[in-house]
Amino acid sequence: MKRAIVVGSGPAGSTVARLLAKSGNYHVLILEKGRNYFTGLGGPTNKIGNLFSNDEIGWESRRSPITQDPLLEPRSFRTGPGAGKRTFVGDVNSLPTAVGGGTIHYDAKARRFREVDFITNSLMGGTPDKPAIPGTTYADWAMEYRHLEPFYAVMEEIVGVQGPARRVGRKIVNPNPYESWRSTPFAMPPGVAQLNSLLPSEAASRLGYHPAPVPTSINSRPYRGRPACVDCGFCLHYGCPNNAKGGGIWQLHDALRTGRAELRSEVNVVRVEHARGRGGRFRATGVTYMTPDGRTHTERADLVVLANSPIEAARLSFVSGIGQGHPNEKKISSAQPSDTDPSGLLGRNLMFHLQTTVLAVVNQDIHSFRGRTSTHTLDAFVGAGPSAKEFDPAVPRGGILEIGGNLNPVVEASEVAAFAYGARHKEYMQLGPFHKRLTTFTMQGEDMPQITNYVDLDPDIVDVYGVPVPRVSYQSHPYELAASAYYTPLMLAIMDAIGGPGSSYPSVRTLAALAINTTLPPALPGSIDAGVQQILSATPFNEIPASAHIMGTHRAALSPAHGPCDPYGRYWAFDNLYHAGGGLFATAPGYNVTLTIWALAYVVGAAIVSGVGGRRAYSKADVDRGQRRLLDVIRRLDGDTMIARALR
Amino acid sequence: MPELSRRDFLVAAMAMGATVAVSPRLEAAIRHVTGSGSPELFYFNAARARTCSAICARIVPSGTDPSKDPGATEARAVVFIDRFLAAFDLPAAVADGPAIYIHGRFSDRNDHRGDDFLSGRRARFLTLTGHQEMSWRAELYGASALDHPPARTFVSKKWRAQVGNLLPAPVSIRKTYADGLDAFDAYSKKTFGTPFASAASLEQDLMLEAAGNVVASNFPIPTPPGAPDAAKALFPLIVVHTFQATYGLPEYRGQHTDAGVWRSVGWDGDTQPLGNSIYDERLFGPGKGPNAGFGDTRVYQPRGGYRERRPVSTLGAGDGVALSKKDVAPLVKALRAQARAAGRARQRARRAR
């Protein structure tokens, strides 16, 4: 049996580990830097416990127990080489460090991209070497929607996604007209709607838009022996106490139950070991990790998968001598190839979503804090689509609107303290503008890929383990700023149309609708509370993106000229080193990222299991040919799913 | 600016028709919490506890009938803060470990059988890893904690050397409190001739304003000058901690109940394991479904599917209390000002490039 090492236990790592272990050909060692807050993983039943709670102090006011420590493991930031070595040190978009990764704190939106989103560059008239949008590296994806669709479907079933599309006779009826075709319905129907999602949705419907319940990887009913959600209201930022959030842990559970996987937590991988083999190609031979006491251990492996986030995977590659950890800044607008990274693009094209938030406070108590964080989305502002036939390059590409949102009173109190004090503050708390009467839109705006937005190694700073920290160089492109400005008034118009005579909620009306700046400063080391910034009314604008949607750095491409990984996540110079995760994204369509991370991770795992890939370059026909063998993996390893039956 | 005397201030305050007496009930409450030899406090001495209680009581004041309109005093904010500052020094009878994160998963407020958070006076907390412990000790005690990591916890020498240079060094929150509370007291004695805790509430407000409270400017008179830096450093921390104490989980202050604050602001608190809507367990038979044991079967409906225990998708009874635009005008103004300030900063940043 071959030995595989998967670095990271989030959505991507757990998915790859599950497939490798289920295949029977691999023994998988999963290495996770963070703690394991679960009990019973890999045990005989689905009675998995955890240490999470509805605790607004520990999880939202203090630095939460799953947060990467900004003093012990800082990152640095600057807008680009012209700004000096760095302009900020601390928490720069770090994802949770724990078994389960980003699927612990997320609010579990599980969205597919659309057909047009994989081919927008060519629809706009661009080519691989001449992007349609100037100043960007805009590109088509190596795979298209028709390739990824079965993997979206299988992951929706494995994870457990609730959503509105259902089967009627032989057809799938989908109330969301902005989505592309699907071959299967959702695993579960939508759960209870939230009033602060319904109100703007109803207003949007009257204005001619088509909002719909949002596909969410939270159980709306007991599913595969896992509990249903009770709409406790402590969702985004919190671990789920009853495990109704479908996250990486269920795939880990599956993997461990094969008896061919082992999970080690609190081990920090500090180097990928590799050697040069025949034909000048490289092989990963294992990894070296450090335990909390500082001792290092080397584990040998036949296969290494880096699934520790786009930024950390780039950093780990760089400290292992793969790619350019210290690129030439004078030539940062060009690729800088090396033996280990013939693309010269490892770490480049880093993307985040540009989030635009519009809030409304309504006159009545709408129980904003009850239920899942947002139960509906409106996809009208993602850009024209869903198929090439409907595409219109003149429509700006923004993002979906998440509808809902809530604040608990501790956070609310800090916000209210910006304008009220003492008895007056308390009166406002009793009115509850943010915990009782709030609704919001958050637009997950598409972010243009730029070669000058990148991760490298900070030249000076190391973390508590002595390893150089990642440095993020990033600034927004005018395209996404313009799209945000274009859609903001349309968002405000919907909020202003909430309730009133003639609506389904005649007694409700909007008192105030505002666009707010959500680019808040990360908590500084030595300042444990983000709320402090509100108290001081000193919310300094900075250009560090607030979104935890991290993409790019490992773009999957048909040839090394266009990205550091092949269509199946393999590093071009290596036979057996892969990235799985958001790093593979070529662009950043305006949807939540996790389901696409899952689908791509399934592709990576299926390619390894079935032996697809390994070429020095691919044509589109090669990708089509590989698809058949990838689908065999679904039939073989997930034969109990609707999609496997549909593929037969 | 001339130093404001206590007499000048009282004249000004009386001109505003304000009441300047300290409420006897508040004084009693402060005594109750901070009385000498009280077993409740593990970091503060009596003087600091009095000052701390007095500040918290101004940030979230109690109403005339505190049973209906409780504030930070009823929520024992000083106990919350004291236990946070003494998180690593609490006796085993009070906490089973460092009082940073409450242990999962459920309280008994929502029909869970038993309380995972607190049993008697003893609260349960998550254990911390060596690195988590070192980091929280550094927050509480300052950077020196980094020189004494817990056993078997690695600290790179290179990283340690850059703390205080390339990395901002943690400031001791304990010291910020000790120095800040002492400074407020000294400031009050110097300005008004009395300890902070026994100054009139409007005098206390003036001192908080001088220490950085930017929204308390209800006074048509100048704020007293010369607020000590230590008081200014403490102010934002104590505000946030007062909110955490008053509106957060009561177990962090050693209580099961919320002192009525949650009810007064219409907050359910923690709602697991029953939450706000429930999937019908009877589909599977009592005690057999995947959510078995997650709640009392009495609340389930017989027909399957979901039941909303509290309004999630419908407007509930009592939701008709409607506000007007006037009620939220200050909020709108503040948010607009923040947005404008952010816009200006963004432009400055762009010009600087």
Side-chain angles (χ1 to χ4, degrees):
Chain A
M1 196 174 293
K2 292 179 183 169
R3 285 181 59 82
I5 289 174
V6 174
V7 182
S9 67
S14 58
T15 300
V16 175
R18 175 183 177 275
L19 282 183
L20 298 182
K22 283 188 79 163
S23 77
N25 299 330
Y26 288 90
H27 181 274
V28 188
L29 177 61
I30 305 149
L31 301 175
E32 167 58 52
K33 184 167 67 174
R35 279 178 79 178
N36 184 1
Y37 289 96
F38 296 95
T39 58
L41 278 181
T45 70
N46 275 353
K47 299 258 180 260
I48 292 178
N50 62 49
L51 298 171
F52 306 141
S53 53
N54 286 180
D55 169 13
E56 62 282 86
I57 292 169
W59 288 79
E60 281 205 295
S61 303
R62 292 182 183 163
R63 185 169 63 232
S64 97
I66 59 171
T67 300
Q68 178 168 314
D69 191 297
L71 177 64
L72 273 56
E73 298 184 66
R75 292 173 172 179
S76 59
F77 179 86
R78 59 179 182 171
T79 52
K85 282 184 179 177
R86 64 191 79 80
T87 53
F88 176 80
V89 182
D91 175 8
V92 181
N93 251 289
S94 56
L95 287 167
T97 304
V99 168
T103 61
I104 292 179
H105 81 294
Y106 76 155
D107 63 4
K109 309 248 165 357
R111 301 304 312 269
R112 298 178 173 201
F113 298 167
R114 305 163 303 166
E115 284 180 281
V116 291
D117 297 322
F118 298 89
I119 51 172
T120 320
N121 187 47
S122 53
L123 289 174
M124 285 181 165
T127 67
D129 296 308
K130 194 166 187 312
I133 297 168
T136 73
T137 51
Y138 213 43
D140 289 354
W141 288 46
M143 298 184 114
E144 295 185 19
Y145 182 78
R146 63 190 164 86
H147 298 114
L148 219 49
E149 201 278 340
F151 302 101
Y152 276 137
V154 76
M155 286 311 300
E156 284 173 353
E157 288 189 65
I158 293 168
V159 174
V161 175
Q162 58 164 289
R166 61 203 166 88
R167 190 187 295 282
V168 178
R170 302 185 64 177
K171 280 186 152 175
I172 308 291
V173 176
N174 188 350
N176 186 339
Y178 307 104
E179 289 185 342
S180 286
W181 58 272
R182 338 171 24 98
S183 37
T184 53
F186 286 102
M188 288 167 271
V192 177
Q194 205 188 4
L195 195 52
N196 72 343
S197 296
L198 287 173
L199 283 164
S201 295
E202 196 259 2
S205 300
R206 276 186 281 114
L207 296 176
Y209 301 111
H210 305 284
V214 55
T216 308
S217 46
I218 296 176
N219 299 335
S220 65
R221 55 184 53 190
Y223 181 75
R224 291 194 169 191
R226 310 167 197 163
C229 172
V230 296
D231 292 300
C232 72
F234 293 74
C235 208
L236 181 62
H237 300 154
Y238 294 86
C240 179
N242 75 345
N243 288 331
K245 271 188 198 177
I249 58 145
W250 295 109
Q251 285 104 271
L252 286 175
H253 188 52
D254 284 356
L256 296 172
R257 286 174 75 172
T258 64
R260 292 184 291 274
E262 182 194 347
L263 170 67
R264 283 183 209 159
S265 54
E266 296 179 56
V267 296
N268 180 25
V269 177
V270 293
R271 197 163 57 249
V272 176
E273 305 295 346
H274 56 89
R276 199 154 200 165
R278 275 171 301 174
R281 284 163 72 83
F282 291 86
R283 281 192 69 76
T285 56
V287 304
T288 296
Y289 67 78
M290 197 184 265
T291 46
D293 59 7
R295 279 185 293 193
T296 56
H297 306 259
T298 299
E299 287 281 348
R300 297 279 148 198
D302 304 298
L303 172 75
V304 175
V305 180
L306 305 184
N308 49 344
S309 90
I311 291 175
E312 291 297 326
R315 173 209 194 187
L316 179 55
S317 300
F318 294 148
V319 297
S320 308
I322 301 166
Q324 299 278 14
H326 300 287
N328 182 342
E329 294 190 344
K330 293 203 177 76
K331 298 179 181 166
I332 205 64
S333 298
S334 315
Q336 296 180 21
S338 63
D339 287 353
T340 47
D341 171 29
S343 78
L345 293 168
L346 190 60
R348 306 293 190 93
N349 297 315
L350 174 66
M351 298 171 284
F352 304 98
H353 280 139
L354 179 71
Q355 294 175 327
T356 306
T357 298
V358 162
L359 67 81
V361 177
V362 301
N363 60 334
Q364 276 185 274
D365 183 349
I366 56 170
H367 319 288
S368 307
F369 62 88
R370 292 178 184 157
R372 306 183 302 287
T373 308
S374 51
T375 60
H376 287 62
T377 52
L378 173 61
D379 303 349
F381 302 157
V382 182
S387 74
K389 200 165 74 233
E390 292 107 356
F391 188 75
D392 178 355
V395 179
R397 292 174 61 80
I400 64 158
L401 304 189
E402 296 179 357
I403 310 173
N406 52 27
L407 292 184
N408 69 57
V410 177
V411 178
E412 179 182 40
S414 293
E415 296 286 344
V416 171
F419 60 89
Y421 166 74
R424 197 141 169 258
H425 184 274
K426 223 168 82 176
E427 281 170 29
Y428 269 99
M429 291 301 293
Q430 288 163 1
L431 296 177
F434 299 132
H435 79 274
K436 290 181 186 172
R437 299 164 195 271
L438 177 75
T439 181
T440 65
F441 289 137
T442 302
M443 185 169 83
Q444 302 290 352
E446 176 163 350
D447 187 13
M448 284 300 140
Q450 301 175 67
I451 196 168
T452 50
N453 284 348
Y454 65 104
V455 179
D456 65 0
L457 296 176
D458 188 283
D460 305 309
I461 298 176
V462 297
D463 67 12
V464 72
Y465 301 99
V467 180
V469 305
R471 174 174 63 181
V472 169
S473 301
Y474 177 90
Q475 53 187 316
S476 293
H477 187 273
Y479 186 97
E480 58 254 20
L481 297 174
S484 168
Y486 177 84
Y487 286 118
T488 301
L490 303 182
M491 291 156 73
L492 287 166
I494 300 173
M495 287 302 197
D496 281 330
I498 285 175
S503 77
S504 312
Y505 306 95
S507 62
V508 181
R509 63 196 167 80
T510 300
L511 298 179
L514 295 143
I516 57 167
N517 173 53
T518 50
T519 311
L520 292 172
L524 297 162
S527 156
I528 53 162
D529 297 295
V532 165
Q533 305 290 346
Q534 270 82 28
I535 305 310
L536 297 172
S537 280
T539 312
F541 177 82
N542 72 62
E543 305 207 282
I544 305 174
S547 143
H549 300 175
I550 305 167
M551 296 157 280
T553 72
H554 286 70
R555 176 184 283 188
L558 295 173
S559 83
H562 299 114
C565 289
D566 85 355
Y568 308 105
R570 182 180 55 88
Y571 284 56
W572 287 109
F574 285 77
D575 292 329
N576 63 344
L577 178 64
Y578 289 78
H579 171 62
L584 300 175
F585 289 24
T587 58
Y591 290 89
N592 308 68
V593 295
T594 311
L595 188 71
T596 303
I597 289 175
W598 264 317
L600 286 175
Y602 199 106
V603 168
V604 171
I608 295 168
V609 167
S610 64
V612 169
R615 293 171 170 273
R616 286 167 188 264
Y618 298 76
S619 67
K620 287 187 174 181
D622 291 330
V623 174
D624 286 341
R625 272 193 293 276
Q627 179 78 358
R628 193 177 43 81
R629 283 157 68 196
L630 296 183
L631 296 181
D632 279 340
V633 177
I634 296 181
R635 291 188 199 101
R636 189 156 60 87
L637 300 183
D638 285 296
D640 58 342
T641 55
M642 290 184 281
I643 183 67
R645 287 193 290 277
L647 290 171
R648 277 195 194 107
Chain B
M1 193 187 294
E3 193 160 316
L4 204 67
S5 74
R6 181 175 170 83
R7 198 188 57 83
D8 292 339
F9 170 72
L10 288 176
V11 169
M14 278 186 288
M16 294 161 62
T19 312
V20 292
V22 180
S23 123
R25 186 200 48 74
L26 176 60
E27 281 194 331
I30 293 169
R31 268 199 306 278
H32 171 74
V33 173
T34 62
S36 62
S38 163
E40 294 285 359
L41 297 173
F42 304 100
Y43 175 63
F44 288 142
N45 60 29
R48 285 175 187 158
R50 274 194 298 275
T51 309
C52 182
S53 300
I55 295 174
C56 296
R58 293 313 301 153
I59 293 165
V60 185
S62 310
T64 40
D65 178 359
S67 67
K68 290 206 180 82
D69 188 6
T73 305
E74 289 69 32
R76 306 209 306 175
V78 67
V79 175
F80 174 95
I81 294 170
D82 180 75
R83 289 192 182 188
F84 174 51
L85 298 177
F88 290 95
D89 308 312
L90 295 175
V94 169
D96 69 348
I100 303 294
Y101 305 114
I102 207 82
H103 191 286
R105 295 192 270 181
F106 311 123
S107 72
D108 60 0
R109 285 182 284 273
N110 303 287
D111 298 343
H112 180 54
R113 295 179 187 89
D115 190 336
D116 297 332
F117 295 172
L118 185 67
S119 127
R121 285 182 66 222
R122 181 188 172 97
R124 297 179 67 208
F125 292 94
L126 292 186
T127 56
L128 302 178
T129 65
H131 282 116
Q132 283 175 325
E133 177 177 338
M134 183 178 76
S135 180
W136 279 106
R137 282 187 182 272
E139 296 280 12
L140 290 171
Y141 295 86
S144 62
L146 304 175
D147 299 324
H148 309 286
R152 294 185 297 283
T153 302
F154 178 71
V155 175
S156 130
K157 287 197 178 71
K158 189 173 178 193
W159 173 81
R160 178 63 189 90
Q162 69 196 11
V163 176
N165 299 307
L166 291 164
L167 302 178
V171 179
S172 164
I173 299 175
R174 286 162 66 99
K175 189 165 185 306
T176 304
Y177 264 93
D179 294 351
L181 294 172
D182 290 351
F184 268 114
D185 227 21
Y187 181 41
S188 182
K189 285 174 188 155
K190 182 173 163 224
T191 313
F192 298 116
T194 176
F196 187 94
S198 49
S201 48
L202 283 175
E203 291 170 336
Q204 293 174 341
D205 283 352
L206 274 179
M207 289 186 276
L208 292 175
E209 189 180 350
N213 189 359
V214 290
V215 291
S217 306
N218 299 322
F219 309 110
I221 51 173
T223 54
D229 288 344
K232 290 178 181 166
L234 174 62
F235 177 73
L237 275 186
I238 198 170
V239 172
V240 172
H241 292 154
T242 304
F243 294 154
Q244 291 174 5
T246 310
Y247 298 111
L249 276 186
E251 280 77 5
Y252 281 95
R253 48 182 200 257
Q255 288 182 319
H256 265 302
T257 52
D258 81 299
V261 178
W262 284 353
R263 194 174 59 242
S264 75
V265 299
W267 170 248
D268 300 333
D270 58 312
T271 64
Q272 287 272 11
L274 288 190
N276 295 309
S277 60
I278 295 165
Y279 194 79
D280 187 352
E281 196 181 54
R282 290 185 195 194
L283 286 174
F284 305 89
K288 287 205 177 137
N291 285 2
F294 273 56
D296 185 337
T297 47
R298 280 170 306 174
V299 302
Y300 292 100
Q301 294 283 294
R303 53 196 155 72
Y306 272 99
R307 180 193 172 199
E308 287 181 42
R309 295 177 70 227
R310 288 174 281 227
V312 175
S313 63
T314 52
L315 287 167
D319 296 336
V321 185
L323 299 186
S324 70
K325 290 199 177 185
K326 192 162 62 74
D327 295 318
V328 298
L331 178 153
V332 173
K333 196 173 147 204
L335 291 173
R336 290 221 165 102
Q338 270 185 17
R340 274 198 304 276
R344 281 196 298 274
R346 182 191 277 258
Q347 277 169 5
R348 272 200 304 279
R350 201 163 287 154
R351 274 200 299 274
R353 277 212 300 277

